[in-house]
Amino acid sequence: MNIVKIKRGLDIRIEGEADKAYASPKQIDFFGISPLDFVGLVPDLKVEVGNKVYAGSVLFTDFNNQQINIVSPVSGYIDSIEKKCDGQVSHIVIKSDEKIIYEHFSEANPNELSAEEIKNRLLKSGVWAFIRQRPFDFIASPNDIPKAIFVSAFDSSPLAPDFDFIHHGKGEVFQTGIDALSKLVDGNLHLSINADITATKVFTKTRNAHIHYFSGPHPAGNIGIQIHHISPINKGEVVWYVNAQDVLIIGRLFIEGVFNAGRIIALAGSEVRHPKYHKTFIGAQIKPLLEENLSDSKLRIINGNVLTGKTTNENGFLGYYNHQISVIPEGENAEFFGWAQLRLDKFSHSRSYFSRIIPSMKYRIDTNINGELRPFFMSGQYESVLPMDIYPVFLLKAILKGDIDQMEKLGIYEVSEEDFALCEYICTSKIEVQEIIRMGLDLLRKDKQKKINIFK
């Protein structure tokens, strides 16, 4: 067994990991899909308030690529179209039917279809939106030819859901999704498995995929880290990737002939009274999941994980690509000489606290950043948690300078915000590192599009 050992990284041990059990089903009446979840997509709305939709009905397309459909996860009526103060559509809200009615697409065995036929089915049904690409992290262009496709069978981020638990008994569906994806690439389809646990046979027995094992701390489960160690991205190359749970949606499309947006999420965190797994659908309003299940302290509800997720409230909706809701204490109170207290009840990446001597201990971590913004300084901090052969501080400075040539030389094509999340977490200078990385990727994408338009 070939194991890629990740030595640089950090496991943030937070209380409130979801128990391996499903919570009682919750009645959820409203579902919201946000165009803001799709990097680089300009929404072209296809529905109005009051329209009837089915699971699989088109809500909006990409204005710049009309092949890309974003579809409804449930059936019902368009309740509202919410907009931000700048006019951007923030959510299309659907009042769901009691029983979901599906748009029907024909069933098929992907092994008997051509790559073009599979691509057309994925595009028509809206399932194509689950195939994303590096660089830039936006929905893959069906006109591109990827050098590889990656699927990660585990998530190493704090309080992340256990994909082995979620995929148990779904081997046929997962295999069908893998079969479909494998027809879309001339190169290899890579499946990455956690070497530190005994993985389910759903993953270890997968066919039509090159299986790799990763061992070590977070970010070992990040798709960007896995790509970097298996098939690094060079200028002009494109790699596609799909979340393991989204492979199930692809598989169900071919087996059932419908867009079944069912999703199992982990509701976790130290402020959740009963952290468990919930069966729901993409875009579900999270309020019913939280009712009578939170502590009485002031809370931060995070749509996603604590490192890369977005702050939301009880009326928010599950993000299109999210698989967990995290709830931790709001950090409002500054601590006098907090850094100088030699204690066991606080987690630290540095050796500031005695908690370093108890590696298995879990903590009630809040959102306090414990400091203020300071200038960059060369400390080697970022390199200790970023297992990539790049110079992170130099890359960030090149982005702030707007030097595209230097950004390319320093590895901008390989990275995404989530790869730098730990850098931001441990940063002594309290710099918004992920925001800078996104700024650099957007700058690079606009420069690339500008050059394409010039040649046209």
Side-chain angles (χ1 to χ4, degrees):
M1 184 171 66
N2 181 29
I3 299 178
V4 179
K5 295 184 179 180
I6 302 298
K7 296 182 179 179
R8 289 179 287 165
L10 177 67
D11 287 327
I12 304 173
R13 304 184 298 277
I14 302 177
E15 293 178 354
E17 183 178 342
D19 295 333
K20 300 294 191 304
Y22 290 110
S24 301
K26 306 291 184 179
Q27 177 64 40
I28 301 178
D29 296 323
F30 293 94
F31 293 79
I33 299 299
S34 175
L36 303 178
D37 286 342
F38 307 96
V39 176
L41 184 145
V42 180
D44 184 4
L45 295 185
K46 302 299 181 183
V47 292
E48 298 177 349
V49 174
N51 284 170
K52 174 68 178 177
V53 293
Y54 303 98
S57 295
V58 177
L59 299 177
F60 56 92
T61 61
D62 184 359
F63 183 83
N64 297 315
N65 189 346
Q66 293 291 328
Q67 296 181 85
I68 306 297
N69 295 323
I70 307 300
V71 301
S72 175
V74 295
S75 61
Y77 292 88
I78 303 299
D79 181 75
S80 63
I81 297 177
E82 300 175 355
K83 294 186 178 181
K84 297 171 63 178
C85 56
D86 61 1
Q88 283 185 299
V89 176
S90 61
H91 282 96
I92 299 172
V93 181
I94 304 138
K95 174 82 166 57
S96 67
D97 295 329
E98 289 187 12
K99 184 177 180 180
I100 296 178
I101 305 172
Y102 293 91
E103 293 270 9
H104 191 76
F105 310 97
S106 58
E107 304 92 338
N109 182 346
N111 292 315
E112 298 175 356
L113 301 176
S114 67
E116 197 63 30
E117 289 173 324
I118 290 174
K119 188 179 294 186
N120 289 337
R121 286 171 183 265
L122 294 174
L123 288 167
K124 184 179 179 180
S125 63
V127 176
W128 185 270
F130 296 108
I131 304 175
R132 291 177 285 171
Q133 74 158 62
R134 291 287 183 101
F136 309 126
D137 269 351
F138 51 53
I139 297 173
S141 170
N143 300 320
D144 285 342
I145 301 175
K147 77 166 185 174
I149 296 178
F150 278 78
V151 176
S152 178
F154 71 107
D155 186 346
S156 58
S157 58
L159 302 174
D162 184 340
F163 286 170
D164 287 65
F165 175 73
I166 290 172
H167 287 72
H168 180 72
K170 301 180 177 70
E172 180 186 358
V173 180
F174 186 78
Q175 183 62 60
T176 302
I178 291 292
D179 290 342
L181 289 170
S182 67
K183 298 290 283 287
L184 300 178
V185 60
D186 292 332
N188 296 323
L189 189 152
H190 301 280
L191 177 65
S192 301
I193 296 175
N194 189 353
D196 295 331
I197 64 171
T198 302
T200 174
K201 291 182 180 179
V202 172
F203 299 138
T204 60
K205 300 298 183 181
T206 300
R207 303 181 301 278
N208 292 330
H210 287 251
I211 296 177
H212 308 269
Y213 289 84
F214 279 77
S215 173
H218 183 66
N222 279 12
I223 206 75
I225 303 303
Q226 295 167 7
I227 292 172
H228 176 82
H229 286 272
I230 296 172
S231 182
I233 303 172
N234 299 309
K235 183 177 181 179
E237 294 179 335
V238 171
V239 167
W240 292 354
Y241 68 96
V242 184
N243 185 279
Q245 243 197 116
D246 297 335
V247 174
L248 297 177
I249 296 179
I250 295 173
R252 288 194 290 260
L253 172 67
F254 289 92
I255 292 173
E256 303 170 8
V258 297
F259 176 77
N260 184 334
R263 174 153 293 171
I264 296 173
I265 68 166
L267 175 59
S270 60
E271 306 312 293
V272 179
R273 292 175 178 171
H274 305 290
K276 292 183 179 180
Y277 288 81
H278 291 257
K279 294 181 179 180
T280 184
F281 290 87
I282 290 170
Q285 188 177 42
I286 65 176
K287 184 175 183 178
L289 307 177
L290 302 177
E291 286 179 337
E292 301 180 356
N293 199 18
L294 301 181
S295 72
D296 297 326
S297 56
K298 191 161 185 181
L299 309 175
R300 176 74 65 90
I301 302 172
I302 302 170
N303 204 334
N305 69 65
V306 296
L307 291 173
T308 63
K310 296 179 180 178
T311 300
T312 186
N313 56 49
E314 291 186 350
N315 294 315
F317 300 93
L318 179 67
Y320 199 83
Y321 297 113
N322 289 343
H323 302 262
Q324 70 184 99
I325 300 294
S326 309
V327 187
I328 60 176
E330 191 68 70
E332 295 183 308
N333 302 318
E335 294 182 277
F336 184 68
F337 282 120
W339 56 271
Q341 298 182 42
L342 304 178
R343 55 191 180 185
L344 290 169
D345 63 346
K346 191 165 185 178
F347 179 79
S348 174
H349 169 252
S350 69
R351 300 185 181 274
S352 302
Y353 301 128
F354 284 137
S355 58
R356 290 282 294 195
I357 67 177
I358 312 176
S360 61
M361 188 172 177
K362 295 186 178 181
Y363 302 86
R364 185 173 179 262
I365 299 176
D366 61 30
T367 62
N368 198 326
I369 64 172
N370 300 306
E372 58 187 4
L373 184 66
R374 308 178 182 91
F376 266 123
F377 65 92
M378 304 300 292
S379 66
Q381 272 189 320
Y382 293 175
E383 288 83 353
S384 70
V385 294
L386 181 64
M388 304 177 85
D389 294 327
I390 63 174
Y391 297 103
V393 174
F394 288 110
L395 174 58
L396 292 168
K397 288 185 175 182
I399 293 171
L400 291 172
K401 187 179 177 182
D403 189 336
I404 291 177
D405 288 340
Q406 195 69 9
M407 287 158 54
E408 291 178 336
K409 293 176 182 177
L410 291 168
I412 186 69
Y413 289 107
E414 288 202 69
V415 304
S416 181
E417 301 103 294
E418 67 174 8
D419 300 322
F420 276 72
L422 280 175
C423 299
E424 183 173 303
Y425 176 76
I426 68 167
C427 182
T428 304
S429 300
K430 313 303 177 185
I431 292 170
E432 299 286 347
V433 176
Q434 295 182 78
E435 185 178 317
I436 296 173
I437 291 295
R438 175 42 57 188
M439 182 173 68
L441 290 169
D442 288 345
L443 179 64
L444 192 65
R445 178 168 54 86
K446 291 174 183 177
D447 180 73
K448 180 181 178 182
Q449 188 60 49
K450 182 179 178 180
K451 290 177 179 177
I452 291 173
N453 293 336
I454 289 173
F455 284 112
K456 285 183 178 179

PDB file of all heavy atoms in Angstrom, residues 65 68 123 128-133 137-144 238-241:
ATOM      1  N   ASN A  65     -21.845  30.959 -19.669  1.00  0.00           N
ATOM      2  CA  ASN A  65     -21.803  29.596 -20.189  1.00  0.00           C
ATOM      3  C   ASN A  65     -23.159  28.952 -19.932  1.00  0.00           C
ATOM      4  O   ASN A  65     -23.388  28.365 -18.882  1.00  0.00           O
ATOM      5  CB  ASN A  65     -20.683  28.788 -19.516  1.00  0.00           C
ATOM      6  CG  ASN A  65     -20.468  27.432 -20.171  1.00  0.00           C
ATOM      7  OD1 ASN A  65     -21.300  26.954 -20.953  1.00  0.00           O
ATOM      8  ND2 ASN A  65     -19.358  26.790 -19.861  1.00  0.00           N
ATOM      9  N   ILE A  68     -24.189  25.512 -18.196  1.00  0.00           N
ATOM     10  CA  ILE A  68     -24.136  25.257 -16.758  1.00  0.00           C
ATOM     11  C   ILE A  68     -25.495  25.573 -16.136  1.00  0.00           C
ATOM     12  O   ILE A  68     -25.912  26.731 -16.079  1.00  0.00           O
ATOM     13  CB  ILE A  68     -23.036  26.088 -16.071  1.00  0.00           C
ATOM     14  CG1 ILE A  68     -21.679  25.862 -16.743  1.00  0.00           C
ATOM     15  CG2 ILE A  68     -22.989  25.770 -14.585  1.00  0.00           C
ATOM     16  CD1 ILE A  68     -21.175  24.450 -16.650  1.00  0.00           C
ATOM     17  N   LEU A 123     -24.882  17.753 -17.636  1.00  0.00           N
ATOM     18  CA  LEU A 123     -25.196  19.159 -17.881  1.00  0.00           C
ATOM     19  C   LEU A 123     -26.698  19.415 -17.838  1.00  0.00           C
ATOM     20  O   LEU A 123     -27.173  20.356 -17.185  1.00  0.00           O
ATOM     21  CB  LEU A 123     -24.629  19.592 -19.237  1.00  0.00           C
ATOM     22  CG  LEU A 123     -23.108  19.751 -19.320  1.00  0.00           C
ATOM     23  CD1 LEU A 123     -22.657  19.863 -20.761  1.00  0.00           C
ATOM     24  CD2 LEU A 123     -22.657  20.985 -18.528  1.00  0.00           C
ATOM     25  N   TRP A 128     -23.738  18.556 -13.216  1.00  0.00           N
ATOM     26  CA  TRP A 128     -22.403  19.006 -13.612  1.00  0.00           C
ATOM     27  C   TRP A 128     -21.827  20.007 -12.604  1.00  0.00           C
ATOM     28  O   TRP A 128     -20.603  20.098 -12.432  1.00  0.00           O
ATOM     29  CB  TRP A 128     -22.444  19.652 -14.997  1.00  0.00           C
ATOM     30  CG  TRP A 128     -21.084  20.015 -15.498  1.00  0.00           C
ATOM     31  CD1 TRP A 128     -20.419  21.203 -15.327  1.00  0.00           C
ATOM     32  CD2 TRP A 128     -20.178  19.166 -16.213  1.00  0.00           C
ATOM     33  NE1 TRP A 128     -19.171  21.148 -15.901  1.00  0.00           N
ATOM     34  CE2 TRP A 128     -19.009  19.902 -16.460  1.00  0.00           C
ATOM     35  CE3 TRP A 128     -20.267  17.847 -16.686  1.00  0.00           C
ATOM     36  CZ2 TRP A 128     -17.923  19.372 -17.147  1.00  0.00           C
ATOM     37  CZ3 TRP A 128     -19.180  17.317 -17.371  1.00  0.00           C
ATOM     38  CH2 TRP A 128     -18.023  18.081 -17.595  1.00  0.00           C
ATOM     39  N   ALA A 129     -22.694  20.745 -11.906  1.00  0.00           N
ATOM     40  CA  ALA A 129     -22.226  21.775 -10.970  1.00  0.00           C
ATOM     41  C   ALA A 129     -21.368  21.206  -9.846  1.00  0.00           C
ATOM     42  O   ALA A 129     -20.643  21.951  -9.177  1.00  0.00           O
ATOM     43  CB  ALA A 129     -23.420  22.518 -10.383  1.00  0.00           C
ATOM     44  N   PHE A 130     -21.426  19.888  -9.622  1.00  0.00           N
ATOM     45  CA  PHE A 130     -20.620  19.278  -8.568  1.00  0.00           C
ATOM     46  C   PHE A 130     -19.196  18.974  -9.025  1.00  0.00           C
ATOM     47  O   PHE A 130     -18.359  18.586  -8.208  1.00  0.00           O
ATOM     48  CB  PHE A 130     -21.284  17.989  -8.076  1.00  0.00           C
ATOM     49  CG  PHE A 130     -22.620  18.226  -7.436  1.00  0.00           C
ATOM     50  CD1 PHE A 130     -23.789  17.848  -8.082  1.00  0.00           C
ATOM     51  CD2 PHE A 130     -22.718  18.865  -6.219  1.00  0.00           C
ATOM     52  CE1 PHE A 130     -25.018  18.077  -7.510  1.00  0.00           C
ATOM     53  CE2 PHE A 130     -23.950  19.102  -5.634  1.00  0.00           C
ATOM     54  CZ  PHE A 130     -25.106  18.706  -6.284  1.00  0.00           C
ATOM     55  N   ILE A 131     -18.931  19.147 -10.300  1.00  0.00           N
ATOM     56  CA  ILE A 131     -17.577  18.947 -10.822  1.00  0.00           C
ATOM     57  C   ILE A 131     -16.894  20.305 -10.869  1.00  0.00           C
ATOM     58  O   ILE A 131     -17.298  21.188 -11.630  1.00  0.00           O
ATOM     59  CB  ILE A 131     -17.599  18.297 -12.215  1.00  0.00           C
ATOM     60  CG1 ILE A 131     -18.377  16.982 -12.189  1.00  0.00           C
ATOM     61  CG2 ILE A 131     -16.171  18.069 -12.717  1.00  0.00           C
ATOM     62  CD1 ILE A 131     -18.538  16.339 -13.554  1.00  0.00           C
ATOM     63  N   ARG A 132     -15.887  20.475 -10.042  1.00  0.00           N
ATOM     64  CA  ARG A 132     -15.169  21.750 -10.000  1.00  0.00           C
ATOM     65  C   ARG A 132     -13.728  21.558 -10.448  1.00  0.00           C
ATOM     66  O   ARG A 132     -13.276  20.430 -10.615  1.00  0.00           O
ATOM     67  CB  ARG A 132     -15.224  22.333  -8.583  1.00  0.00           C
ATOM     68  CG  ARG A 132     -16.624  22.797  -8.209  1.00  0.00           C
ATOM     69  CD  ARG A 132     -16.689  23.314  -6.790  1.00  0.00           C
ATOM     70  NE  ARG A 132     -16.647  22.232  -5.814  1.00  0.00           N
ATOM     71  CZ  ARG A 132     -16.514  22.433  -4.506  1.00  0.00           C
ATOM     72  NH1 ARG A 132     -16.368  23.644  -4.032  1.00  0.00           N
ATOM     73  NH2 ARG A 132     -16.505  21.397  -3.680  1.00  0.00           N
ATOM     74  N   GLN A 133     -13.048  22.659 -10.656  1.00  0.00           N
ATOM     75  CA  GLN A 133     -11.703  22.565 -11.203  1.00  0.00           C
ATOM     76  C   GLN A 133     -10.704  23.353 -10.389  1.00  0.00           C
ATOM     77  O   GLN A 133     -11.033  24.292  -9.681  1.00  0.00           O
ATOM     78  CB  GLN A 133     -11.682  23.071 -12.649  1.00  0.00           C
ATOM     79  CG  GLN A 133     -11.791  24.600 -12.772  1.00  0.00           C
ATOM     80  CD  GLN A 133     -11.252  25.117 -14.093  1.00  0.00           C
ATOM     81  OE1 GLN A 133     -11.774  24.774 -15.139  1.00  0.00           O
ATOM     82  NE2 GLN A 133     -10.225  25.957 -14.031  1.00  0.00           N
ATOM     83  N   ASP A 137     -11.096  27.053  -8.583  1.00  0.00           N
ATOM     84  CA  ASP A 137     -12.173  26.501  -7.755  1.00  0.00           C
ATOM     85  C   ASP A 137     -13.572  26.828  -8.257  1.00  0.00           C
ATOM     86  O   ASP A 137     -14.507  26.874  -7.476  1.00  0.00           O
ATOM     87  CB  ASP A 137     -12.039  26.971  -6.292  1.00  0.00           C
ATOM     88  CG  ASP A 137     -11.216  26.010  -5.466  1.00  0.00           C
ATOM     89  OD1 ASP A 137     -10.895  24.930  -5.962  1.00  0.00           O
ATOM     90  OD2 ASP A 137     -10.887  26.341  -4.324  1.00  0.00           O
ATOM     91  N   PHE A 138     -13.743  27.072  -9.554  1.00  0.00           N
ATOM     92  CA  PHE A 138     -15.107  27.262 -10.045  1.00  0.00           C
ATOM     93  C   PHE A 138     -15.603  26.005 -10.748  1.00  0.00           C
ATOM     94  O   PHE A 138     -14.883  25.019 -10.880  1.00  0.00           O
ATOM     95  CB  PHE A 138     -15.243  28.506 -10.935  1.00  0.00           C
ATOM     96  CG  PHE A 138     -14.252  28.616 -12.067  1.00  0.00           C
ATOM     97  CD1 PHE A 138     -14.075  27.595 -12.977  1.00  0.00           C
ATOM     98  CD2 PHE A 138     -13.508  29.785 -12.244  1.00  0.00           C
ATOM     99  CE1 PHE A 138     -13.198  27.704 -14.034  1.00  0.00           C
ATOM    100  CE2 PHE A 138     -12.617  29.916 -13.305  1.00  0.00           C
ATOM    101  CZ  PHE A 138     -12.473  28.877 -14.190  1.00  0.00           C
ATOM    102  N   ILE A 139     -16.885  26.030 -11.178  1.00  0.00           N
ATOM    103  CA  ILE A 139     -17.458  24.875 -11.858  1.00  0.00           C
ATOM    104  C   ILE A 139     -16.652  24.591 -13.117  1.00  0.00           C
ATOM    105  O   ILE A 139     -16.332  25.492 -13.892  1.00  0.00           O
ATOM    106  CB  ILE A 139     -18.938  25.131 -12.210  1.00  0.00           C
ATOM    107  CG1 ILE A 139     -19.757  25.327 -10.928  1.00  0.00           C
ATOM    108  CG2 ILE A 139     -19.513  23.973 -13.012  1.00  0.00           C
ATOM    109  CD1 ILE A 139     -21.193  25.756 -11.187  1.00  0.00           C
ATOM    110  N   ALA A 140     -16.304  23.331 -13.319  1.00  0.00           N
ATOM    111  CA  ALA A 140     -15.473  22.946 -14.458  1.00  0.00           C
ATOM    112  C   ALA A 140     -16.157  23.295 -15.781  1.00  0.00           C
ATOM    113  O   ALA A 140     -17.380  23.162 -15.916  1.00  0.00           O
ATOM    114  CB  ALA A 140     -15.180  21.453 -14.401  1.00  0.00           C
ATOM    115  N   SER A 141     -15.364  23.739 -16.734  1.00  0.00           N
ATOM    116  CA  SER A 141     -15.887  23.988 -18.068  1.00  0.00           C
ATOM    117  C   SER A 141     -15.981  22.673 -18.832  1.00  0.00           C
ATOM    118  O   SER A 141     -14.990  21.940 -18.924  1.00  0.00           O
ATOM    119  CB  SER A 141     -14.985  24.959 -18.834  1.00  0.00           C
ATOM    120  OG  SER A 141     -15.355  25.016 -20.204  1.00  0.00           O
ATOM    121  N   PRO A 142     -17.161  22.359 -19.393  1.00  0.00           N
ATOM    122  CA  PRO A 142     -17.293  21.105 -20.148  1.00  0.00           C
ATOM    123  C   PRO A 142     -16.446  21.083 -21.417  1.00  0.00           C
ATOM    124  O   PRO A 142     -16.272  20.025 -22.024  1.00  0.00           O
ATOM    125  CB  PRO A 142     -18.791  21.053 -20.474  1.00  0.00           C
ATOM    126  CG  PRO A 142     -19.273  22.456 -20.354  1.00  0.00           C
ATOM    127  CD  PRO A 142     -18.424  23.113 -19.313  1.00  0.00           C
ATOM    128  N   ASN A 143     -15.901  22.233 -21.792  1.00  0.00           N
ATOM    129  CA  ASN A 143     -15.073  22.301 -22.997  1.00  0.00           C
ATOM    130  C   ASN A 143     -13.595  22.023 -22.706  1.00  0.00           C
ATOM    131  O   ASN A 143     -12.810  21.849 -23.632  1.00  0.00           O
ATOM    132  CB  ASN A 143     -15.214  23.684 -23.647  1.00  0.00           C
ATOM    133  CG  ASN A 143     -16.644  23.987 -24.042  1.00  0.00           C
ATOM    134  OD1 ASN A 143     -17.358  23.117 -24.541  1.00  0.00           O
ATOM    135  ND2 ASN A 143     -17.084  25.213 -23.812  1.00  0.00           N
ATOM    136  N   ASP A 144     -13.237  21.989 -21.430  1.00  0.00           N
ATOM    137  CA  ASP A 144     -11.841  21.722 -21.061  1.00  0.00           C
ATOM    138  C   ASP A 144     -11.550  20.223 -21.066  1.00  0.00           C
ATOM    139  O   ASP A 144     -12.453  19.396 -20.947  1.00  0.00           O
ATOM    140  CB  ASP A 144     -11.538  22.280 -19.675  1.00  0.00           C
ATOM    141  CG  ASP A 144     -11.397  23.791 -19.676  1.00  0.00           C
ATOM    142  OD1 ASP A 144     -11.197  24.362 -20.756  1.00  0.00           O
ATOM    143  OD2 ASP A 144     -11.502  24.401 -18.589  1.00  0.00           O
ATOM    144  N   VAL A 238      -5.405  21.758 -16.224  1.00  0.00           N
ATOM    145  CA  VAL A 238      -6.652  21.795 -15.469  1.00  0.00           C
ATOM    146  C   VAL A 238      -6.872  20.446 -14.810  1.00  0.00           C
ATOM    147  O   VAL A 238      -6.692  19.400 -15.437  1.00  0.00           O
ATOM    148  CB  VAL A 238      -7.852  22.132 -16.385  1.00  0.00           C
ATOM    149  CG1 VAL A 238      -9.170  21.955 -15.633  1.00  0.00           C
ATOM    150  CG2 VAL A 238      -7.742  23.554 -16.914  1.00  0.00           C
ATOM    151  N   VAL A 239      -7.243  20.457 -13.547  1.00  0.00           N
ATOM    152  CA  VAL A 239      -7.613  19.245 -12.817  1.00  0.00           C
ATOM    153  C   VAL A 239      -9.025  19.421 -12.281  1.00  0.00           C
ATOM    154  O   VAL A 239      -9.364  20.476 -11.747  1.00  0.00           O
ATOM    155  CB  VAL A 239      -6.625  18.986 -11.652  1.00  0.00           C
ATOM    156  CG1 VAL A 239      -7.177  17.919 -10.712  1.00  0.00           C
ATOM    157  CG2 VAL A 239      -5.270  18.550 -12.182  1.00  0.00           C
ATOM    158  N   TRP A 240      -9.855  18.410 -12.448  1.00  0.00           N
ATOM    159  CA  TRP A 240     -11.218  18.448 -11.905  1.00  0.00           C
ATOM    160  C   TRP A 240     -11.261  17.692 -10.593  1.00  0.00           C
ATOM    161  O   TRP A 240     -10.467  16.771 -10.355  1.00  0.00           O
ATOM    162  CB  TRP A 240     -12.210  17.815 -12.887  1.00  0.00           C
ATOM    163  CG  TRP A 240     -12.407  18.611 -14.146  1.00  0.00           C
ATOM    164  CD1 TRP A 240     -11.915  19.843 -14.442  1.00  0.00           C
ATOM    165  CD2 TRP A 240     -13.150  18.204 -15.309  1.00  0.00           C
ATOM    166  NE1 TRP A 240     -12.302  20.235 -15.696  1.00  0.00           N
ATOM    167  CE2 TRP A 240     -13.050  19.256 -16.252  1.00  0.00           C
ATOM    168  CE3 TRP A 240     -13.870  17.052 -15.637  1.00  0.00           C
ATOM    169  CZ2 TRP A 240     -13.680  19.188 -17.500  1.00  0.00           C
ATOM    170  CZ3 TRP A 240     -14.490  16.984 -16.880  1.00  0.00           C
ATOM    171  CH2 TRP A 240     -14.397  18.045 -17.803  1.00  0.00           C
ATOM    172  N   TYR A 241     -12.214  18.062  -9.741  1.00  0.00           N
ATOM    173  CA  TYR A 241     -12.386  17.331  -8.481  1.00  0.00           C
ATOM    174  C   TYR A 241     -13.856  17.321  -8.076  1.00  0.00           C
ATOM    175  O   TYR A 241     -14.631  18.195  -8.443  1.00  0.00           O
ATOM    176  CB  TYR A 241     -11.510  17.919  -7.374  1.00  0.00           C
ATOM    177  CG  TYR A 241     -11.912  19.303  -6.903  1.00  0.00           C
ATOM    178  CD1 TYR A 241     -12.720  19.474  -5.776  1.00  0.00           C
ATOM    179  CD2 TYR A 241     -11.463  20.446  -7.563  1.00  0.00           C
ATOM    180  CE1 TYR A 241     -13.082  20.728  -5.334  1.00  0.00           C
ATOM    181  CE2 TYR A 241     -11.817  21.711  -7.124  1.00  0.00           C
ATOM    182  CZ  TYR A 241     -12.620  21.847  -6.013  1.00  0.00           C
ATOM    183  OH  TYR A 241     -12.973  23.103  -5.583  1.00  0.00           O
TER     184      TYR A 241
END
